[in-house]
Amino acid sequence: MAKLRLLSMLAGALALLSGCGGAAVDPQGLVYCSEGDPDSFNPQLTTSGTSVDASAKQLYNRLLRFDAQSGELVPDLATDWQVSRDGLEVRFSLRESVAFHQTDRFTPSRHFNADDVIFSFERMLDADHPYHGIGGGRYPYFQGTGLNKQIKAVHRYGDHDVVFELHYASASFLSELATDFAVILSAEYGQRMLEASTPGLLDSQPVGTGPFKLSRYQRNHYIRYLRHDAYWQGPVALEQLVFDITPHSTARLIKLIGGDCDVAALPQVTELSVIQQYDDLAVDTRPGMNVAFWAFNSQKPPLSDPRVRKGLAMAVDQRRILAAVYHNTAVASRGLLPPISWAYDSQLELPPHDPDQARRLLEEAGVDALSMDIWAMPVGRIYNPNAIKMAELIQQDLAVIGVQSRIVSYDWNVFVNRLGYAEYDSVLIGWSADNYDPDNFFTPLLSCEALLFGSNRARWCDAEFDALMQAARQESDQATRRQLYRQLELTLRQQMPLLPLAHASRTLGRQRHWQGDMLHTTGGIDFSAVAKEP
């Protein structure tokens, strides 16, 4: 209890030093203590969970979405869809009378229609599109999953019908359109910003159809959203929503206890019991469609040799990581897929922890006196609450087999940006699935396309593996697909471009009087159904 009293005393002091800095909210608003700054307010341009949380479900809608309870595909901006017999055409009927945000900079003259769908996808598809190169011309999820090669064209059939013409059919296509990355932008706003010679504002001062609209963003301090009163599903309960940017987990806990935030992101496992000792606080937990992994830069010798990668993997004591980092609240990985995936195979096993065999594999590869770095995220993520601690444990395990290692970390945005230069030897990172299809754990992380466009952190490209992933995506029979994913997992075990470590539950702390589903099994956080108890 002494720790609790100390935390309560610190809460008031911290509020004076590092609160929302002018972003206070009224009783109809909610303060969410988030873990970092977004690198964009357009999910098309990033795979960062921090950016997705700040944008996808707050500001935008997609054609389809996943039902939070059943996980089934349900209508969003599309009211209905039909797939042709050969799977090469998908027609969507679009919702009418959907209003875009009105902001100080933009007043829409029309409702959402087919032009906005075409604009949102042609920006990513067409290298000659005026917005394609804005923001760097990289659409990591879209390009990494090969959607840019699958979608042949998007056709308009009146204001409220569009048809996606595909080069090839796949079982995962509709699920991809329900991910947080498939948001619909305003074509009219895009045109206005082009005419004003400020096209970058499309992504930094966004306009969507979602339940909230962006009001103000002050880097390293807060993001303020206001309710979208013309929201097509009806105005949400919250008049205001503030993301109070608080990188340190302990600071988020203190603010939660002191009442300076209503919801706190990513509490450390050791903090959950503290939260649970307060009658006015609660912990929400959902099963996680995620994986934490240690990726090896397979284009850097000697990590280009699978024997070296496998030797390093066998040096790692997974059980110690689960105990020290997750306090046994996560599930040990057997492969990339978590146990809640329909394609999970409980018979799979990773190579065992075996330091002696690890040394032999390094010797067989002719590697002596290996020195390497381990890049570790500076912030907690859903799949890895403490990457620095995990890196320290791996560093100790590597020392046992005679491998010297150095832990490298940066501020979150710097960390993400520098990953793009592929300077690392290895990196502790992970993936939170954006849909329920098992391909979401493979193509975005390990395809050759994903290597080119940024989400393949192992920098591993194998033509046979790519072909097997393609076959698994295109196969319609679930039993056959399950066998194909087993083959993919077995190939990963042999080649070891990355070492899967754990599948963690999604958790957040909240003031008990806030009710409503905020966490979904897939995708970013969602405040559209949140309200305060009367």
Side-chain angles (χ1 to χ4, degrees):
M1 293 303 295
K3 181 178 180 181
L4 301 184
R5 288 194 296 270
L6 176 61
L7 289 170
S8 297
M9 291 170 60
L10 288 173
L14 187 64
L16 296 175
L17 296 173
S18 59
C20 294
V25 296
D26 61 26
Q28 285 73 45
L30 179 148
V31 177
Y32 171 59
C33 282
S34 65
E35 75 282 3
D37 287 281
D39 53 33
S40 174
F41 285 102
N42 181 353
Q44 296 173 336
L45 303 177
T46 181
T47 57
S48 161
T50 302
S51 299
V52 167
D53 282 348
S55 59
K57 289 186 170 67
Q58 321 315 330
L59 301 172
Y60 299 102
N61 293 104
R62 290 138 293 281
L63 291 173
L64 307 174
R65 64 179 177 85
F66 293 104
D67 181 85
Q69 301 303 320
S70 68
E72 296 294 320
L73 284 169
V74 295
D76 203 27
L77 290 180
T79 58
D80 191 21
W81 60 95
Q82 298 87 35
V83 181
S84 64
R85 184 169 298 179
D86 61 7
L88 296 178
E89 287 191 354
V90 184
R91 178 182 287 267
F92 291 95
S93 300
L94 304 180
R95 196 174 298 278
E96 299 185 30
S97 302
V98 174
F100 280 101
H101 301 153
Q102 179 174 331
T103 69
D104 293 340
R105 186 176 296 276
F106 173 69
T107 299
S109 67
R110 62 167 177 81
H111 286 152
F112 157 77
N113 67 27
D115 293 336
D116 304 303
V117 178
I118 292 171
F119 171 80
S120 301
F121 285 90
E122 284 193 345
R123 174 183 181 174
M124 298 183 284
L125 283 170
D126 183 2
D128 295 324
H129 191 279
Y131 271 95
H132 183 81
I134 302 299
R138 295 169 68 87
Y139 303 90
Y141 183 86
F142 188 82
Q143 293 163 328
T145 56
L147 282 171
N148 58 323
K149 294 188 174 180
Q150 183 179 12
I151 300 172
K152 184 176 182 180
V154 186
H155 303 290
R156 185 186 201 277
Y157 290 89
D159 281 351
H160 297 99
D161 283 281
V162 294
V163 171
F164 283 73
E165 186 181 359
L166 307 179
H167 286 290
Y168 60 87
S170 74
S172 61
F173 178 70
L174 290 175
S175 293
E176 302 289 8
L177 295 190
T179 67
D180 284 338
F181 305 101
V183 296
I184 302 301
L185 312 174
S186 166
E188 183 184 19
Y189 181 53
Q191 183 60 35
R192 296 264 192 94
M193 294 305 96
L194 271 182
E195 292 168 355
S197 299
T198 56
L201 295 184
L202 182 73
D203 305 318
S204 64
Q205 296 185 21
V207 166
T209 59
F212 301 97
K213 57 184 179 181
L214 182 66
S215 173
R216 187 177 179 192
Y217 168 44
Q218 186 172 340
R219 184 174 174 80
N220 297 325
H221 291 282
Y222 66 89
I223 312 167
R224 184 196 291 274
Y225 308 83
L226 300 178
R227 181 170 63 193
H228 178 28
D229 289 326
Y231 187 45
W232 60 271
Q233 292 193 64
V236 297
L238 298 178
E239 292 181 10
Q240 293 190 61
L241 171 65
V242 170
F243 278 39
D244 181 355
I245 297 166
T246 310
H248 298 291
S249 175
T250 301
R252 295 195 296 271
L253 175 64
I254 291 169
K255 288 183 179 183
L256 181 68
I257 292 171
D260 294 302
C261 66
D262 300 297
V263 181
L266 305 172
Q268 296 278 347
V269 175
T270 52
E271 296 167 351
L272 298 181
S273 60
V274 177
I275 295 172
Q276 290 165 341
Q277 291 185 51
Y278 286 82
D279 292 339
D280 58 342
L281 302 182
V283 174
D284 288 352
T285 303
R286 292 290 294 255
M289 284 284 282
N290 59 59
V291 61
F293 55 81
W294 185 25
F296 306 109
N297 187 340
S298 61
Q299 295 192 358
K300 272 192 170 185
L303 298 170
S304 52
D305 188 328
R307 294 170 297 181
V308 174
R309 300 193 296 262
K310 191 170 182 179
L312 295 172
M314 294 184 77
V316 175
D317 188 341
Q318 187 185 34
R319 291 175 300 178
R320 197 162 69 111
I321 287 173
L322 288 170
V325 175
Y326 297 93
H327 296 264
N328 296 313
T329 60
V331 177
S333 295
R334 293 175 177 270
L336 272 183
L337 294 174
I340 59 174
S341 170
W342 59 259
Y344 177 74
D345 187 342
S346 62
Q347 302 304 309
L348 290 170
E349 294 285 354
L350 290 174
H353 172 54
D354 188 339
D356 291 335
Q357 178 63 10
R359 290 190 200 93
R360 285 193 288 270
L361 284 168
L362 294 182
E363 291 171 4
E364 182 182 321
V367 173
D368 185 34
L370 177 61
S371 178
M372 63 183 295
D373 60 46
I374 305 170
W375 284 33
M377 299 178 299
V379 298
R381 300 300 305 137
I382 291 165
Y383 46 76
N384 189 338
N386 193 338
I388 300 292
K389 178 65 175 177
M390 188 181 289
E392 291 169 351
L393 295 171
I394 292 175
Q395 185 180 52
Q396 294 166 14
D397 289 338
L398 294 180
V400 172
I401 65 167
V403 173
Q404 300 290 319
S405 58
R406 181 174 67 98
I407 298 170
V408 177
S409 194
Y410 301 96
D411 170 80
W412 174 241
N413 280 334
V414 175
F415 183 85
V416 172
N417 289 334
R418 290 181 70 99
L419 279 180
Y421 296 107
E423 299 167 338
Y424 54 88
D425 296 323
S426 69
V427 57
L428 285 169
I429 199 160
W431 182 256
S432 292
D434 307 288
N435 63 55
Y436 293 87
D437 195 279
D439 179 68
N440 198 254
F441 282 89
F442 288 90
T443 299
L445 298 180
L446 290 162
S447 69
C448 297
E449 288 291 312
L451 188 158
L452 294 174
F453 298 108
S455 57
N456 184 337
R457 302 304 184 188
R459 300 191 57 75
W460 184 69
C461 172
D462 182 277
E464 291 184 6
F465 194 82
D466 256 29
L468 192 58
M469 285 190 293
Q470 178 87 340
R473 284 197 303 273
Q474 294 182 341
E475 177 57 55
S476 58
D477 179 68
Q478 190 173 96
T480 304
R481 291 191 80 199
R482 186 179 287 111
Q483 289 303 311
L484 291 170
Y485 286 111
R486 177 179 174 81
Q487 292 178 44
L488 288 165
E489 293 275 31
L490 290 172
T491 301
L492 288 183
R493 189 186 189 281
Q494 296 163 1
Q495 296 294 318
M496 201 57 69
L498 54 80
L499 173 64
L501 292 165
H503 310 287
S505 297
R506 305 187 70 179
T507 59
L508 57 76
R510 62 175 170 85
Q511 302 287 337
R512 193 176 292 276
H513 53 247
W514 290 104
Q515 299 294 319
D517 286 333
M518 305 178 208
L519 290 178
H520 299 180
T521 300
T522 64
I525 196 165
D526 183 1
F527 290 101
S528 64
V530 176
K532 184 183 287 188
E533 285 184 334

